Each structure stands twice: as C-alpha cells, then as structure tokens.
Amino acid sequence: MALLDEWKAVAYDNKQDRYHLEKFWDDYFKKEKGVYEILLKEPDKVYKGTVHELAEQFGLTDLEMAGFLDGIQESLKEENPIDTMEADTEVQLGYDLEKLYRNMVDARADWLYNLPEWNNIYSPEQQKELLLNQRKSHTVHVKKIGRNDPCPCGSGKKYKFCHGRKGAEPLPGYEQ
C-alpha cells in the first residue's frame, strides 16, 4: 500500500472516536507548523531526498511526511508522485511562495499563514492584500429574481408563473 493511502486510512479513520481523531490532528498540525517554520526561514532552499530522509530531517514519521507532502502538493513548482510514493521515493520541496500562502488561506489554516516567518518574506500590507485577494476569489454573486419580475428565460411570463413556480427547472446562475 502506498504511503499516502496508509496516511489517509489513519487520518480519516471514521471508526476512531472523536477525541482520538481530534488529538491526532492537533498533534499533526503542531508538527506541520514546525516544518513550515523551518521551510519559511530559507524560502529559496529546495529540500530534496527520500520521503524517509525528509521525514527524519523534519522530525516526522514517514506517514506524517506523506500527509505533509499531500498538503503542500498544489503549492510545489514540480509535483511529487504522491499517489505511488513509498519511504524510499525521491521527493522535493520546491514551492511557489505566493501559491503556498494562498493555499494556506484557502485551507483556513491561520496557524500557518500567520506564522511570523512570513514577515521576512512579505510585508504586512502584502500579506493583507494576498489574504483579501484570495478570499475574494471565492466570492460567488448570485442574481436574485423577484417573484413579480419577468422571467429571465425570455418567456414573457412573470417569474412566479414560469421558472419560479414549485417544481420548475431552476435557471443556472440564479437563486431560487
């Protein structure tokens, strides 16, 4: 079984009680934070090695390293073969800083995007701008139709007698 599959089996085990699962994630997030503190101290350094070597270097188990690699995968300049990796698979951690910051915001991982190490990379104003831009990028504006407005489908009927009636096909992009 590939390391990532093992990681998912442990990390998302729905047979575990809530207390143990929360403790598992709390412990993992502390370790993950520690890895990012190291990575962000030298943001241009690309760490390379086997999964096992990097796990030892960052004080993680091989499974935790698999979870970490899964989490950082979308921020890497070159993706790792995470679906098939084993402990002896060569991987690298060359990441795009802006993408990493934005992905941390997307994941709502404030313990990561608020790390003090970011202050040596981006000014507080730049961090605020990145944060706001990333949050705005997911804003969905839905057009609201009044019951007595003409139906947007062009039928000439009032919305309440056309696509607004109970059981009618909803119009894409409009809130019902």
Side-chain angles (χ1 to χ4, degrees):
M1 180 185 289
L3 274 177
L4 186 60
D5 294 332
E6 288 181 51
W7 164 257
K8 288 178 180 178
V10 172
Y12 303 105
D13 182 7
N14 59 7
K15 294 175 189 151
Q16 275 214 38
D17 63 80
R18 185 177 174 169
Y19 170 79
H20 286 95
L21 208 49
E22 284 179 12
K23 183 171 176 5
F24 170 85
W25 281 107
D26 285 345
D27 292 344
Y28 172 74
F29 289 145
K30 285 176 191 162
K31 291 176 182 180
E32 178 188 44
K33 181 180 175 185
V35 174
Y36 279 115
E37 288 169 342
I38 294 167
L39 292 178
L40 294 173
K41 282 181 183 159
E42 295 181 83
D44 296 325
K45 181 176 180 179
V46 177
Y47 289 83
K48 293 181 179 182
T50 65
V51 173
H52 181 73
E53 290 167 348
L54 290 179
E56 281 188 336
Q57 188 172 354
F58 293 117
L60 302 174
T61 65
D62 292 353
L63 281 184
E64 290 167 338
M65 191 68 207
F68 181 83
L69 290 166
D70 183 36
I72 199 171
Q73 181 77 344
E74 289 182 18
S75 303
L76 298 176
K77 292 176 183 174
E78 262 182 61
E79 291 188 351
N80 290 311
I82 61 170
D83 292 326
T84 58
M85 71 183 169
E86 298 295 337
D88 60 351
T89 303
E90 290 284 329
V91 292
Q92 57 79 31
L93 293 175
Y95 50 89
D96 178 299
L97 279 167
E98 188 173 323
K99 222 185 225 185
L100 180 63
Y101 191 87
R102 288 175 179 266
N103 287 335
M104 288 174 174
V105 171
D106 269 352
R108 294 187 174 98
D110 58 334
W111 66 94
L112 297 178
Y113 66 77
N114 285 326
L115 284 170
E117 287 77 8
W118 282 111
N119 297 331
N120 298 326
I121 300 166
Y122 294 123
S123 69
E125 294 79 22
Q126 289 172 309
Q127 289 178 52
K128 186 176 181 180
E129 185 178 333
L130 282 169
L131 178 76
L132 292 175
N133 287 341
Q134 189 60 24
R135 286 187 177 161
K136 283 181 188 175
S137 72
H138 297 295
T139 303
V140 177
H141 297 282
V142 179
K143 299 172 214 151
K144 181 83 170 155
I145 310 165
R147 287 177 37 76
N148 291 313
D149 291 344
C151 189
C153 76
S155 68
K157 298 178 184 177
K158 287 185 177 185
Y159 178 70
K160 66 182 177 184
F161 294 120
C162 192
H163 283 90
R165 74 180 190 285
K166 196 174 190 175
E169 183 75 24
L171 289 168
Y174 290 89
E175 186 177 289
Q176 209 154 318

